Amino acid sequence: MPDLGTPEGWLPVVFLALMGVAILAYVVLDGFDLGVGILLRAAPEAERDLMVASIGPFWDANETWLVLGVGILLVAFPLAHGQILGALYLPVALMLVGLTLRGVAFEFRVKARAEHKPAWDFAFFGGSLLAAVSQGVMLGLTIVGFRHDAATWAFALFIGAGLAAGYALLGATWLVMKTHGALQSAAVRWAQQAKWLTGAGIGAVSLATPLVSERIAGKWFALPEFFMLLPIPLATALLFFILWRALARLPQRLADGNEYGAWVPFACAVGIFVCAFYGLAYSLFPYLVVDRTTIWDAASAPESLMIILAGACVVLPVILAYTVFAWRVFGGKARLLSYG
């Protein structure tokens, strides 16, 4: 490891942290609107407009975090950018197809004729599901070091299903918080169903990660490193318990017209994603490609990173400010969108 007191040492760490923040923000923020898209087909047609309206002010800006994360990877770690996107060419291409399809469907479904609207709803659902599963496959292949055989692809596809369920959990708990009536009650049921596959996906990642690398296994189980990681599985288990308990209590409360605690499932789902992300980041650090390429191997020249850092110090606060502003302006229960 280079001397962290020099620009060659600390600049790659700073950019890794910035990239991690961008990716985590994308997963959580775009995760709930991808989840709403995945759940769209499960809702009656009369409820779908409100589901889309609940994410209308947020979904497009949420994808800015993906652009920022990939942009940092490209300019700060060009060697790893080539290795990662080269190895993940197919799922990346499918993800972009899915994101494009859902973007087009979002705009067209609002003004489509009545007979065409179900087709655009299906396109929005299909694009959301394709993007979510593709991202999960990318995660699975990254964990196994981009090996391509039947076993690793089966694992990656299972992680794809688990991440799609995780996004559905985020989307369902978002709807619990943002809607009311029959749709809100249905969202509670969807969240209860999605939490099981979400937990299975997190469990699969947790089992596989130390198996693919002796270095990672040492970070997990050697002392004193074991105690540094131990709070993460404990916190994740606690959050799943609180989520289960909150979802079990909500139906009766909602039937009585009591909204108390409607935000708790969404907060728990976000917390679960944060814990999972931290555990994965702790395991992989300082490698961008498991046991092959460190952040210092892949980093651009320190002079270039200093210029890029100056730009990031301007761009990141602007994105954060816009995100906070949008959440403040469009807080509260969702209302139907109207177009002239």
Side-chain angles (χ1 to χ4, degrees):
M1 180 183 295
D3 181 5
L4 295 181
T6 65
E8 292 86 350
W10 64 263
L11 277 170
V13 176
V14 169
F15 275 96
L16 181 66
L18 291 175
M19 185 172 68
V21 168
I23 293 174
L24 178 59
Y26 169 77
V27 167
V28 171
L29 296 177
D30 205 39
F32 73 74
D33 63 59
L34 283 168
V36 170
I38 292 169
L39 295 169
L40 196 68
R41 295 280 293 176
E45 191 170 344
E47 303 283 7
R48 294 176 185 174
D49 285 345
L50 186 58
M51 293 176 68
V52 174
S54 75
I55 62 172
F58 308 100
W59 76 276
D60 206 10
N62 290 343
E63 294 181 357
T64 305
W65 292 102
L66 177 63
V67 176
L68 178 63
V70 175
I72 291 175
L73 178 64
L74 171 61
V75 299
F77 306 107
L79 176 62
H81 178 273
Q83 293 176 340
I84 293 171
L85 294 191
L88 300 176
Y89 183 86
L90 178 59
V92 168
L94 291 176
M95 179 189 71
L96 294 177
V97 170
L99 294 176
T100 302
L101 182 60
R102 71 191 297 267
V104 172
F106 183 92
E107 300 295 338
F108 274 73
R109 69 175 301 279
V110 178
K111 298 186 178 181
R113 296 176 180 176
E115 62 269 23
H116 296 153
K117 197 169 182 179
W120 288 116
D121 284 343
F122 184 80
F124 190 72
F125 157 77
S128 300
L129 182 61
L130 179 61
V133 173
S134 298
Q135 290 173 17
V137 169
M138 292 160 61
L139 173 61
L141 291 177
T142 300
I143 290 171
V144 299
F146 306 129
R147 295 196 297 270
H148 295 278
D149 54 48
T152 56
W153 271 100
F155 170 75
L157 288 171
F158 181 76
I159 300 304
L163 185 61
Y167 284 167
L169 176 63
L170 281 171
T173 54
W174 171 260
L175 292 173
V176 170
M177 188 172 61
K178 296 290 287 185
T179 63
H180 53 270
L183 179 56
Q184 188 181 39
S185 298
V188 173
R189 295 194 300 272
W190 296 334
Q192 290 171 333
Q193 296 164 1
K195 71 178 185 293
W196 300 112
L197 185 52
T198 303
I202 293 174
V205 170
S206 300
L207 288 173
T209 304
L211 294 177
V212 300
S213 168
E214 292 184 3
R215 179 189 62 83
I216 294 176
K219 292 182 72 173
W220 278 41
F221 302 114
L223 296 176
E225 289 85 352
F226 173 79
F227 294 105
M228 295 176 63
L229 187 64
L230 184 60
I232 299 305
L234 293 179
T236 303
L238 178 61
L239 286 167
F240 266 111
F241 173 76
I242 297 173
L243 174 67
W244 167 79
R245 188 179 178 88
L247 291 173
R249 290 181 171 184
L250 270 175
Q252 185 58 52
R253 286 180 179 170
L254 297 178
D256 296 336
N258 184 0
E259 289 275 339
Y260 180 77
W263 59 271
V264 172
F266 182 72
C268 288
V270 171
I272 288 167
F273 269 84
V274 171
C275 287
F277 184 86
Y278 175 82
L280 186 62
Y282 171 82
S283 300
L284 296 181
F285 182 83
Y287 287 87
L288 291 171
V289 179
V290 177
D291 293 346
R292 284 167 49 191
T293 306
T294 69
I295 58 174
W296 297 284
D297 296 331
S300 298
E303 296 80 6
S304 300
L305 291 179
M306 288 297 295
I307 297 173
I308 300 166
L309 182 60
C313 290
V314 175
V315 172
L316 189 59
V318 170
I319 298 175
L320 282 171
Y322 172 80
T323 301
V324 172
F325 178 75
W327 278 65
R328 285 180 61 86
V329 170
F330 298 103
K333 294 294 184 180
R335 297 186 296 271
L336 289 174
L337 299 174
S338 62
Y339 292 81

